[in-house]
């Protein structure tokens, strides 16, 4: 690796738009790649590709995601505001091309399920479908949409209603081995990465050395 | 992979606290592993380990992160509110054990730099240090702290001031190859993964098939 170089924001701001977007989108690091499934008021399903997703807490079980400005990404947000329910579905390599295609701007009334060949999986009592191909997926109910006036994005917070995963991926300590599910990450605007298990460590304490624990138990 | 099982939130809520936390923390997927460096009012530096980080936009260049409740994670947030500046530093395998140790609860007045052996790197005109070992790092100025009353967490939004990265990692299209920097991800409460480049695709359009593009250019 060569020497580090400092790029100041005045310089970055002067760059061509796509060059700048590629550069700045890499900064936040590798992010979780997920499909969010919703249904509109006419019953048409929708799939959107999202990777700005955060864990907010386990009790209550809250997860948030960033929705781009309405004019750039209207359907998922409108459907969640209208129907309040959505599913979040991890993406693995066999479904990556179809998932990427969900980022195309299909017109109103066209389902990305139909267009890309991903499969709706309906569950009794849930008004939105899962993505059948996904190996780690969960259903959410909207709690609050927080507009971010700085740039027109939205921070959407929901609570977990139910989770679907193979019990074979759940360890004796509750840890879900999403590396075995091959859950992917994204970086930049258009790049995807695959994750291999590196290490787990015991809860860190000031007076204790770092101690590895087994990945699965 | 065995059959999917449905875990309802009523059942999940009845589980033992750590089992439940391991399970629910995996849902949000693999997340970017970063150290946030700050300085308190007495000049003592602080390093905290964060992975709930989102890209909010490239123009203006905004990045957000989730800070846990004040009683659980007081220092980073207080230092940012006091001094307004912070750096975000990607973590790679050679610095992982030291980074993990930064999640231990050190008392006020003790710097995680000193305690873990990570190195402060000071830059002219920047009132907070970078982590010298990090290969992708950037300096931020606070824009807004959004409290999330639902569970006492905070969504902290800042703007990018400058970026430090080796020009050898920056492609001709502005894409920063963070897989070559070996930027890590985290999952669950205590698990870390390594990422390999899988694919980049051209911007998706409704009437075009998915098309691969080179990882680097």
């Amino acid at each position: 690796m060569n020497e580090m170089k400092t790029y100041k924001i005045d310089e970055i701001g002067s760059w061509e738009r796509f060059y700048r977007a590629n550069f700045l989108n890499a900064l936040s690091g590798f992010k979780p790649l997920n499909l969010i499934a919703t249904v509109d008021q006419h019953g048409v399903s929708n799939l959107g590709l999202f990777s700005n997703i955060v864990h907010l807490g386990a009790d209550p079980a809250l997860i948030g995601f960033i929705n781009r400005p309405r004019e750039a990404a209207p359907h998922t947000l409108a459907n969640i505001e209208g129907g309040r329910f959505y599913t979040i579905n991890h993406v693995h390599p066999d479904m990556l091309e179809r998932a990427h295609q969900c980022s195309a701007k299909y017109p109103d009334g066209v389902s990305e399920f139909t267009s890309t060949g991903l499969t709706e999986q309906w569950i009794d009592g849930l008004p939105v479908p899962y993505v059948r191909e996904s190996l780690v997926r969960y259903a959410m109910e909207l709690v609050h949409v927080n507009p971010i006036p700085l740039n027109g994005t939205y921070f959407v917070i929901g609570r977990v209603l139910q989770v679907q995963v193979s019990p074979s991926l759940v360890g004796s300590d509750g840890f879900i081995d999403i590396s075995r599910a091959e859950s992917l990450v994204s970086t930049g605007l258009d790049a995807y990465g695959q994750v291999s298990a590196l290490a787990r460590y015991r809860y860190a304490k000031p007076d204790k050395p770092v101690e590895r624990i087994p990945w699965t138990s």
Side-chain angles (χ1 to χ4, degrees), chain A:
Chain A
M1 215 73 64
N2 295 339
E3 276 295 288
M4 300 292 264
K5 180 174 168 183
T6 302
Y7 300 88
K8 298 202 172 164
I9 194 63
D10 290 349
E11 179 189 352
I12 295 168
S14 74
W15 291 343
E16 183 273 330
R17 184 176 154 220
F18 287 102
Y19 189 97
R20 182 180 68 216
N22 274 325
F23 187 89
L24 290 171
N25 270 271
L27 295 184
S28 43
F30 288 111
K31 289 170 301 186
L33 186 65
N34 286 276
L35 287 165
I36 298 186
T38 54
V39 173
D40 76 9
Q41 55 183 333
H42 307 294
V44 177
S45 57
N46 185 276
L47 270 181
L49 194 58
F50 290 81
S51 61
N52 286 295
I53 297 185
V54 292
H55 172 86
L56 279 170
D59 187 18
L62 299 174
I63 289 174
F65 75 91
I66 301 296
N67 197 99
R68 289 183 300 145
R70 247 177 237 278
E71 57 276 20
H75 296 144
T76 298
L77 184 59
N79 292 354
I80 290 175
E81 288 173 325
R84 302 195 69 80
F85 295 97
Y86 50 111
T87 68
I88 303 184
N89 305 266
H90 286 209
V91 175
H92 59 74
D94 288 348
M95 56 190 286
L96 176 59
E97 296 203 355
R98 287 171 284 174
H100 178 76
Q101 188 62 26
C102 290
S103 60
K105 280 185 188 137
Y106 291 99
D108 276 5
V110 173
S111 168
E112 287 81 3
F113 279 104
T114 316
S115 309
T116 66
L118 289 166
T119 316
E120 296 179 14
Q121 169 128 13
W122 291 86
I123 300 289
D124 271 357
L126 198 64
V128 285
Y130 284 110
V131 178
R132 183 192 293 269
E133 288 79 2
S134 175
L135 297 173
V136 181
R137 57 198 188 200
Y138 46 102
M140 302 286 293
E141 180 178 8
L142 175 65
V143 172
H144 196 65
V145 175
N146 300 271
I148 300 174
L150 288 162
N151 66 353
T153 57
Y154 297 85
F155 182 47
V156 182
I157 300 176
R159 67 185 189 92
V160 177
L161 294 178
Q162 61 164 242
V163 178
Q164 289 203 321
V165 64
S166 165
S168 67
L169 293 177
V170 183
S172 64
D173 58 355
F175 178 70
I176 305 176
D177 188 356
I178 64 171
S179 72
R180 273 214 297 142
E182 298 186 276
S183 296
L184 295 175
V185 291
S186 75
T187 173
L189 292 168
D190 52 20
Y192 304 101
Q194 194 154 12
V195 182
S196 50
L198 183 60
R200 285 182 73 186
Y201 298 108
R202 197 171 298 287
Y203 186 79
K205 294 191 173 167
D207 54 345
K208 295 273 172 74
V210 175
E211 185 187 347
R212 279 186 84 135
I213 59 176
W215 186 265
T216 49
S217 53

